[in-house]
Amino acid sequence: MHIPIRRPSDEVSRALSSNQVVPGQKSRPRTVLRTVIATALATITLAGLSACGPDKGLRVEPEGETSPTQFEPANSDSGPPNKPFSLKEIRKTIVDSSGIAVTGKATESAKVVADCKECLKFATPFLSGDKKFQLVTVANPKQKSEIVAGAVISEKDSRPRLELIATGNQLKLSPGKNGTLVVQEAMYADGDEACCPSGWSVQVFRLHEGRFEPGQRFTRLNGET
């Protein structure tokens, strides 16, 4: 904010510069005049800073969750992610099955796994009862930070078995409560950039009679559930 500064007359200027006094005033030491001038300048400077300073009513809110997941992770110790089968064994299982699992299929994902070794990674395994399931994720070959598929592997007759394969945008797989699997994916509205989906979809898979069955799907789009 511009603050007008009133300039002294020539007569007062001469009096200040030559240590003279204005008629009718008593002579004072030069240090007193300098103190008065310094105080006035400091007051003007502080007023200007106050006018241009930040709004004290502005609050910085903590960043919210990027997804609406409401499921707590499993507490059971499911062991290391690379046991009992290695990534090489799991890759061969997915490729040999052409991405067709006991529940779900993803032939395109199988091609990615076959062509891009760096795209297949271990995720956190989980237990359903006393049965262990290994999790692997499949990344986008063109943008490896983006997960486009996930697979569940079990053991049958001492060999890996492809139980479930799921696909989606920015997919996330995580163990849920009571031996469930939570699959979460981004939802895009028209005009959304790749970095910024408008919402999320969450679905819980539960093991029933040897198969993973999808449960209710929860979605949140543009802040509405």
Side-chain angles (χ1 to χ4, degrees):
M1 181 179 70
H2 177 69
I3 300 177
I5 300 177
R6 199 175 169 190
R7 299 184 180 277
S9 64
D10 292 339
E11 181 180 359
V12 175
S13 298
R14 287 195 301 272
L16 293 177
S17 62
S18 61
N19 200 26
Q20 296 177 356
V21 297
V22 179
Q25 290 184 344
K26 294 182 180 181
S27 176
R28 295 183 179 180
R30 180 178 296 180
T31 54
V32 175
L33 293 175
R34 288 179 176 174
T35 302
V36 173
I37 293 172
T39 303
L41 290 175
T43 302
I44 294 172
T45 303
L46 289 174
L49 290 175
S50 298
C52 301
D55 181 3
K56 294 182 179 180
L58 192 64
R59 288 189 305 170
V60 179
E61 297 289 345
E63 185 177 356
E65 295 289 336
T66 58
S67 63
T69 303
Q70 300 176 4
F71 305 96
E72 298 177 0
N75 294 322
S76 302
D77 181 14
S78 52
N82 60 343
K83 298 293 181 182
F85 303 112
S86 66
L87 210 57
K88 181 178 180 180
E89 292 173 301
I90 293 175
R91 177 182 291 107
K92 186 177 186 302
T93 299
I94 295 175
V95 173
D96 289 348
S97 67
S98 299
I100 299 175
V102 175
T103 305
K105 60 181 180 179
T107 54
E108 291 297 326
S109 299
K111 293 178 182 178
V112 172
V113 171
D115 297 337
C116 178
K117 292 185 177 181
E118 308 86 44
C119 292
L120 191 66
K121 301 286 185 182
F122 279 115
T124 304
F126 67 102
L127 295 174
S128 182
D130 57 355
K131 188 176 181 65
K132 177 177 177 176
F133 294 92
Q134 289 176 272
L135 287 182
V136 291
T137 58
V138 182
N140 183 345
K142 298 180 180 179
Q143 188 176 350
K144 293 185 175 61
S145 61
E146 179 186 0
I147 303 302
V148 294
V152 181
I153 307 295
S154 69
E155 181 180 4
K156 185 176 183 181
D157 299 329
S158 300
R159 300 180 62 182
R161 177 188 182 185
L162 182 59
E163 293 281 353
L164 171 68
I165 191 162
T167 61
N169 298 307
Q170 298 183 22
L171 202 72
K172 295 181 182 180
L173 289 85
S174 57
K177 292 192 290 186
N178 302 320
T180 58
L181 175 69
V182 179
V183 179
Q184 177 179 294
E185 64 174 311
M187 295 182 63
Y188 289 88
D190 292 340
D192 284 353
E193 297 289 339
C195 66
C196 311
S198 293
W200 297 87
S201 172
V202 176
Q203 191 164 28
V204 180
F205 287 80
R206 188 182 304 276
L207 190 65
H208 179 67
E209 296 182 354
R211 294 171 61 92
F212 279 95
E213 295 184 352
Q216 185 177 3
R217 182 186 295 271
F218 300 87
T219 60
R220 176 177 295 175
L221 187 62
N222 294 324
E224 297 182 0
T225 303

